[in-house]
């Protein structure tokens, strides 16, 4: 279902936001069965947008965009655009209706690909309010503090974590292998292979809607398959 078709809140370029897996199960083994919200440039295939830099419409200036990671040496975003490409092809075929969703019977994942902050806050908040659980992350926590109520601040350093906390965010911090947790953090439960935990039955990454410690995870290498 198309839940938004309009200018990106990040840079004004045309985007669409599509909610999938509302009724059909998701096959993502990391997240489990969740409804998936994808924000994408309207007129270009996601994988092409990633290569050309036109993913800025839905990813902003994130340092983990592949085009930026080449310059900075950061580990690039691990999200595979294959699913987003499939959604975009279906959109171009006219396979999705436009509408609103007031109630979901399963947890919601904000950002199968794309920043939740690219979409107007009121639209995203209404989706979250209609879901039993949700997960969401934003690298644009400085510019969109209102998203602290529903999203984790994605941070890449101890300094960023403290800054985001001061702005009212709970954080999801990516750290290097071997680096310790900070006070007030726990390891991402899904990363513990001895436990059968998926995002769908965890629900800790819901911003300030959940009263819990910050979450941290060891950087996921592109060499690892999810």
């Amino acid at each position: 279902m198309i839940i938004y078709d309009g200018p990106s809140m990040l840079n004004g370029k045309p985007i669409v936001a599509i909610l999938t897996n509302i009724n059909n199960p998701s096959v993502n083994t990391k997240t489990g069965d969740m409804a998936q919200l994808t924000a994408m440039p309207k007129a270009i295939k996601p994988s092409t947008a990633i290569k050309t830099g036109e993913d800025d419409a839905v990813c902003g200036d994130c340092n983990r965009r592949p085009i930026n990671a080449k310059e900075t040496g950061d580990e690039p975003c691990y999200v595979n655009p294959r699913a987003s490409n499939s959604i975009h092809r279906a959109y171009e075929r006219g396979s999705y209706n436009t509408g609103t969703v007031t109630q979901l019977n399963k947890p919601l994942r904000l950002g199968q690909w794309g920043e939740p902050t690219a979409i107007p806050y009121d639209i995203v908040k209404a989706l979250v309010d209609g879901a039993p659980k949700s997960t969401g992350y934003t690298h644009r926590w400085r510019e969109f503090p209102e998203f602290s109520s529903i999203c984790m601040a994605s941070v890449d350093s101890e300094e960023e974590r403290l800054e985001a906390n001061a702005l009212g965010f709970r954080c999801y911090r990516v750290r290097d292998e071997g680096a310790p947790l900070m006070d007030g953090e726990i390891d991402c439960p899904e990363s513990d292979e001895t436990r059968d935990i998926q995002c769908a039955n965890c629900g800790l990454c819901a911003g300030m809607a959940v009263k819990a410690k910050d979450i941290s995870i060891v950087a996921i290498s592109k060499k690892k398959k999810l």
Side-chain angles (χ1 to χ4, degrees):
M1 178 177 289
I2 301 169
I3 59 101
Y4 180 68
D5 183 343
S8 167
M9 298 296 100
L10 302 178
N11 60 13
K13 294 180 180 179
I15 66 169
V16 290
I18 297 174
L19 187 65
T20 59
N21 302 107
I22 299 172
N23 297 309
N24 296 328
S26 167
V27 297
N28 189 313
T29 57
K30 179 183 185 297
T31 66
D33 186 15
M34 305 180 76
Q36 311 271 336
L37 180 62
T38 302
M40 63 184 71
K42 185 172 182 177
I44 185 170
K45 186 168 68 171
S47 58
T48 302
I50 289 170
K51 292 177 182 177
T52 62
E54 292 177 81
D55 57 344
D56 62 351
V58 293
C59 295
D61 60 358
C62 176
N63 59 303
R64 294 188 182 275
R65 288 170 58 212
I67 201 166
N68 286 343
K70 289 179 181 179
E71 300 295 329
T72 63
D74 287 314
E75 189 73 39
C77 179
Y78 66 84
V79 175
N80 189 319
R82 181 172 53 189
S84 303
N85 283 343
S86 178
I87 294 169
H88 194 268
R89 287 194 298 270
Y91 166 72
E92 290 188 318
R93 293 195 302 268
S95 299
Y96 299 115
N97 296 322
T98 299
T100 57
V101 177
T102 57
Q103 199 71 34
L104 288 168
N105 61 5
K106 65 172 69 175
L108 168 67
R109 180 190 182 194
L110 303 177
Q112 183 281 134
W113 182 58
E115 267 273 346
T117 58
I119 308 163
Y121 173 77
D122 289 348
I123 292 175
V124 182
K125 182 64 164 58
L127 284 176
V128 169
D129 288 345
K133 291 181 183 178
S134 66
T135 63
Y137 311 86
T138 177
H139 272 94
R140 301 299 294 263
W141 41 271
R142 293 185 181 93
E143 296 95 330
F144 297 93
E146 66 272 22
F147 274 81
S148 64
S149 65
I150 55 176
C151 286
M152 309 292 283
S154 289
V155 298
D156 298 296
S157 68
E158 295 183 359
E159 293 77 14
E160 282 192 347
R161 184 213 169 195
L162 295 174
E163 181 185 354
N165 282 163
L167 292 175
F169 280 89
R170 289 179 58 234
C171 294
Y172 191 92
R173 182 173 70 95
V174 177
R175 70 185 195 276
D176 293 333
E177 188 171 358
L181 292 168
M182 297 176 67
D183 288 342
E185 285 183 329
I186 61 171
D187 274 311
C188 174
E190 190 276 334
S191 64
D192 185 345
E193 296 181 356
T194 68
R195 304 168 68 189
D196 185 19
I197 296 179
Q198 295 176 305
C199 300
N201 55 33
C202 174
L204 289 180
C205 289
M208 293 302 292
V210 173
K211 303 304 180 185
K213 292 184 177 182
D214 289 349
I215 311 296
S216 182
I217 192 169
V218 174
I220 300 173
S221 172
K222 288 286 283 186
K223 296 178 182 179
K224 297 179 181 179
K225 296 182 179 180
L226 296 181

